[in-house]
Amino acid sequence: MKIQDITNLLEKTAPLYLQEPYDNAGMITGQVTWECNGIMICLDATESVIIEALEKKCNLVIAHHPIIFRGLKKINGGNYVERVIIKAIKNDIAIYAIHTNLDNVLQGVNGRIADKLNLENRHILKPKDAQLKKLITFAPVDKAVQVREALFAAGAGNLGKYSECSFNTEGTGTFKAGENSEPYVGEKGKLHAEKELKIEVIFPAYLEQKIVRAMNEAHPYEEVAFDIIALGNILSDVGSGLIGDLKEPIPELKLLENLKNAFGLKTIRHTVITGNTVKKIAICGGAGIFLLADAIKAGADVFITGDVKYHEFFDAEGKILLVDIGHYESEQFTIDLIYDILKEKFPNFALLKTGVNTNPVHYL
């Protein structure tokens, strides 16, 4: 199996297009054309993980966090990032990162946290906007179904819980075929009028090339007329954070106890207990304090994340219980998530979860 077979599957779940501008998800070292001997899954591609991959004969390391965030001016082993890159390249180890693109899908990192809390009625806390486009094309009436089905198969026409959505308007198209053309209908050199359907579908922007290719392959016309329009609409199942409901309200202290048990926590940092019960919970794995205002606006009783600074706790202002369970702790089950995605498609392939705890933070 090629490494590309694995990365294609991961990018079907969490397209690279959905990563944040500051991120560096995707192939860090190695080539997608390499044969894959085995996969080591981790949160952080540290030196210990690379050594572990070598010992277990895995030439692909899939990490949540990219080992390289910023450009490297030197690669001489002066820090752990450089040492990891050197060791990976010298030993033909491919490193692939699936980071904020996996954070930004509903069934991604936050979805796995929600699983641990048994949350219902889940949706994205802060959906992304400007992620949708509209395709408008024109097909002869007898081929309109063929073109629509190809567009749907390529990923167009999905709106929330609905699929195969389109708008169709009947009209008349005109054209005159040139001397070197091969028209589907009409005669060369003569103006032709054809009954056509105007087909309109919405699609995620990252699928544009695939959508256009599918349209061209299915369309009977030699030259296909179409428009693509960028939309400001939100993509409801893509964005930052997640919010959902507990089946029944519980006291705040009970929630904190449940978090300790579910996430194996030694300690939890949180704002003052408000005395309210908890039902609606907002979450963001990793560093998510930028979503605090969104959690409050959404009516969440509690916001669970990591990496909250001292002064940021004040921003809760008694309106919400703000809980910091730690960066690593909130994302620890991402390893299981990646494993499950791959195991479903490649049940007999060598998939290993790292035995290395890469959490740099320790507690007494």
Side-chain angles (χ1 to χ4, degrees):
M1 183 169 10
K2 302 290 187 183
I3 288 177
Q4 190 165 31
D5 297 324
I6 289 96
T7 59
N8 283 347
L9 176 62
L10 293 175
E11 289 168 20
K12 183 177 180 181
T13 301
L16 290 177
Y17 179 88
L18 298 179
Q19 68 178 301
E20 297 298 328
Y22 63 80
D23 202 6
N24 190 34
M27 291 296 294
I28 306 294
T29 64
Q31 301 293 328
V32 295
T33 54
W34 289 357
E35 291 287 337
C36 186
N37 303 325
I39 301 171
M40 181 65 67
I41 305 169
C42 61
L43 275 184
D44 308 280
T46 63
E47 293 175 82
S48 297
V49 171
I50 300 300
I51 292 171
E52 181 185 26
L54 284 169
E55 292 173 347
K56 299 293 178 63
K57 303 187 185 306
C58 296
N59 68 335
L60 173 60
V61 171
I62 299 175
H64 182 44
H65 299 130
I67 185 66
I68 298 176
F69 264 107
R70 294 170 290 275
L72 297 177
K73 294 185 177 181
K74 299 177 182 178
I75 307 179
N76 53 26
N79 58 49
Y80 80 96
V81 174
E82 295 174 12
R83 290 192 295 272
V84 166
I85 298 303
I86 290 170
K87 187 173 289 292
I89 291 175
K90 287 179 68 174
N91 291 280
D92 290 335
I93 299 289
I95 301 176
Y96 181 88
I98 180 168
H99 191 213
T100 53
N101 49 323
L102 191 59
D103 291 329
N104 284 336
V105 293
L106 189 59
Q107 300 303 321
V109 174
N110 296 312
R112 190 49 62 104
I113 297 172
D115 290 342
K116 295 295 178 180
L117 298 175
N118 298 313
L119 295 188
E120 304 175 340
N121 308 318
R122 305 175 190 180
H123 57 270
I124 295 292
L125 178 59
K126 187 176 183 180
K128 283 184 173 292
D129 58 11
Q131 301 295 310
L132 290 171
K133 292 188 176 183
K134 178 189 283 190
L135 170 73
I136 303 172
T137 190
F138 311 85
V141 173
D142 64 327
K143 296 295 182 180
V145 172
Q146 172 181 307
V147 173
R148 275 199 306 268
E149 288 180 348
L151 293 171
F152 296 152
N158 294 313
L159 292 173
K161 298 178 181 179
Y162 297 84
S163 62
E164 300 188 14
C165 302
S166 69
F167 189 78
N168 304 270
T169 311
E170 190 169 336
T172 302
T174 64
F175 56 85
K176 182 188 290 186
E179 183 179 345
N180 297 319
S181 66
E182 297 181 6
Y184 172 70
V185 289
E187 299 179 32
K188 294 181 182 181
K190 292 184 178 181
L191 180 64
H192 178 78
E194 180 72 17
K195 291 292 183 183
E196 295 179 329
L197 280 185
K198 177 183 179 183
I199 303 170
E200 301 181 49
V201 291
I202 291 176
F203 63 91
Y206 68 87
L207 290 177
E208 181 172 338
Q209 290 185 349
K210 183 180 179 181
I211 296 292
V212 172
R213 184 168 58 249
M215 176 192 67
N216 285 326
E217 290 174 354
H219 208 291
Y221 287 173
E222 184 178 21
E223 298 289 345
V224 182
F226 67 96
D227 301 318
I228 291 180
I229 303 170
L231 304 176
N233 307 49
I234 64 170
L235 189 55
S236 59
D237 58 351
V238 168
S240 303
L242 181 151
I243 189 165
D245 300 319
L246 294 172
K247 188 172 183 178
E248 299 291 340
I250 61 174
E252 291 167 313
L253 288 176
K254 177 61 177 175
L255 172 69
L256 297 180
E257 180 184 334
N258 291 348
L259 281 171
K260 276 195 167 186
N261 293 332
F263 291 82
L265 306 175
K266 293 182 178 180
T267 185
I268 295 178
R269 302 165 69 224
H270 61 85
T271 52
V272 65
I273 298 298
T274 68
N276 299 321
T277 57
V278 171
K279 183 172 176 62
K280 189 175 291 294
I281 298 178
I283 54 180
C284 181
I289 192 61
F290 67 98
L291 292 172
L292 177 60
D294 297 283
I296 294 172
K297 183 179 179 181
D301 302 306
V302 61
F303 179 42
I304 302 166
T305 188
D307 287 352
V308 180
K309 296 179 182 178
Y310 174 83
H311 289 285
E312 292 169 336
F313 279 100
F314 286 108
D315 295 334
E317 295 190 296
K319 299 175 182 177
I320 194 171
L321 178 63
L322 175 59
V323 179
D324 182 345
I325 64 173
H327 194 124
Y328 176 92
E329 290 79 4
S330 68
E331 294 183 332
Q332 61 184 294
F333 300 113
T334 304
I335 295 174
D336 297 329
L337 171 63
I338 297 169
Y339 179 90
D340 291 343
I341 292 170
L342 296 174
K343 193 67 175 177
E344 183 176 357
K345 179 69 173 179
F346 309 117
N348 299 317
F349 196 71
L351 300 172
L352 300 176
K353 304 175 189 178
T354 182
V356 178
N357 184 332
T358 61
N359 190 359
V361 180
H362 297 266
Y363 305 93
L364 282 175

